[in-house]
Every structure is written in C-alpha cells, then in structure tokens.
C-alpha cells in the first residue's frame, strides 16, 4: 500500500499548536483527495455568524468544504498528539457544532445551495511520536436536527 508523502514529515520539537493543527489539516486534505476521492472546494472558510453577549463579532470557520459523490460536505479536522485521555472527536462539542452549522448555512445561502444535499463530517488525526499518523473519517458525524427550534402548537 502506498504511503502518503506527508506521513514522512519529521516531528519538530518546538512545533506550535497552530503549526501542528495546520499539519493535521494538510494530512486530512491529502487523505480526502487521494484515499476518499473527495473534490475539495474550499479550505479554511471563515464568515461572521453573529455576535456574542458582549457584542463582539463571532466568526465561524469550516476547515474543509468538499463534494463526496454529489453531496456537499462541511469537514472539521481535529488533530491531537495522543488519544490516550480523549479522542480528537471530543473537541467537536455542541458549541463547535453550532458554530460550524451557522457558517455552513451562510455558505449555502451565499452560493444558492440551500436545496443541495449536505452533511457534516469530521476527520480525526492522532500524530504520536515516531509513528505514522492515525487518520479516521467520520461521515455524517453530526446533524442540524438537535439545533432546530422547537415549535409548540395548542389545539
């Protein structure tokens, strides 16, 4: 089996958290293109999605936007040095999901894709010392359903 070229990168002793996350996103991008045959549309999409309680602008970000078999995929990439204490998926909590959903809605509205089929995927990457990165793709990891407003009607 061929190994991906980015798997050969050496660990940098003083690698910053941002650089480590960027390396994970590059690995995820290459994995989705080569192994999963996704068609990448955009990386690091950012859009203002509202304001917090103090009035500061909240920016939503989506790591990767791609098509998989005609379905628009909004992909969050989480990279960790170890999964000993918690999986990278633990970082995709409700707050993060809400932020991604708001950014995805803005993207779909901006490009007139409100009726297009879509889903939310997560790529989990664990890059341990001196070992090949472990990459897992979780298709349809979460949905908008739990965030929909409930309406009550009385007879």
């Amino acid at each position: 089996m061929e190994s991906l070229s980015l798997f050969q990168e050496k660990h940098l002793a003083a690698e910053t958290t941002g650089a480590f996350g960027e390396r994970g996103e590059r690995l995820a991008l290459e994995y989705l293109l080569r192994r999963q045959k996704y068609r990448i549309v955009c990386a690091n999409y950012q859009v203002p999605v509202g304001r917090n309680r103090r009035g500061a602008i909240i920016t939503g970000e989506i790591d990767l936007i791609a098509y998989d078999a005609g379905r628009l995929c909004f992909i969050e990439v989480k990279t960790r040095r170890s999964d000993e204490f918690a999986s990278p998926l633990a970082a995709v909590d409700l707050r993060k999901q809400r932020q991604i959903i708001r950014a995805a809605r803005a993207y779909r509205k901006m490009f007139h894709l409100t009726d297009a089929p879509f889903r939310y995927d997560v790529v989990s990457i664990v890059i341990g010392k001196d070992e090949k990165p472990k990459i897992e793709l979780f298709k349809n990891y979460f949905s908008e359903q739990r965030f929909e407003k409930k309406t009550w009607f009385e007879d």
Side-chain angles (χ1 to χ4, degrees):
M1 180 180 349
E2 92 180 83
S3 70
L4 301 177
S5 60
L6 289 175
F7 286 172
Q8 306 305 318
E9 289 185 357
K10 299 291 182 200
H11 292 277
L12 301 175
E15 187 174 30
T16 66
T17 302
F20 185 72
E22 288 173 14
R23 180 161 53 127
E25 287 182 18
R26 287 192 316 270
L27 285 168
L29 178 66
E30 191 167 335
Y31 173 80
L32 293 171
L33 283 169
R34 289 190 180 179
R35 303 289 175 141
Q36 299 295 322
K37 305 300 185 204
Y38 277 49
R39 287 185 310 125
I40 305 299
V41 175
C42 181
N44 297 315
Y45 172 77
Q46 293 183 353
V47 63
V49 293
R51 294 185 179 272
N52 66 14
R53 291 179 183 165
R54 288 179 257 131
I57 295 173
I58 298 170
T59 301
E61 180 184 347
I62 301 172
D63 293 330
L64 297 169
I65 301 173
Y67 278 96
D68 176 37
R71 184 171 299 270
L72 186 60
C73 301
F74 299 98
I75 306 159
E76 178 67 9
V77 179
K78 287 298 175 189
T79 309
R80 297 292 181 264
R81 296 183 196 279
S82 167
D83 59 356
E84 186 175 337
F85 298 109
S87 163
L89 297 174
V92 188
D93 58 10
L94 292 177
R95 184 192 64 76
K96 185 65 176 173
Q97 291 175 24
R98 187 179 299 113
Q99 182 185 48
I100 293 167
I101 287 169
R102 290 169 80 184
R105 284 179 180 162
Y107 180 90
R108 291 178 18 243
K109 185 176 180 181
M110 182 186 314
F111 291 102
H112 308 287
L113 297 169
T114 53
D115 294 329
F118 66 94
R119 71 172 186 245
Y120 298 99
D121 296 351
V122 175
V123 176
S124 166
I125 302 175
V126 177
I127 306 174
K129 288 187 176 188
D130 302 323
E131 60 185 57
K132 189 166 90 168
K134 178 182 171 189
I135 303 174
E136 293 180 275
L137 171 61
F138 296 88
K139 293 183 179 185
N140 208 23
Y141 184 72
F142 62 92
S143 71
E144 294 185 4
Q145 187 175 15
R146 78 178 342 154
F147 298 100
E148 291 175 356
K149 292 182 179 179
K150 306 290 188 255
T151 306
W152 294 90
F153 295 100
E154 291 193 24
D155 293 333

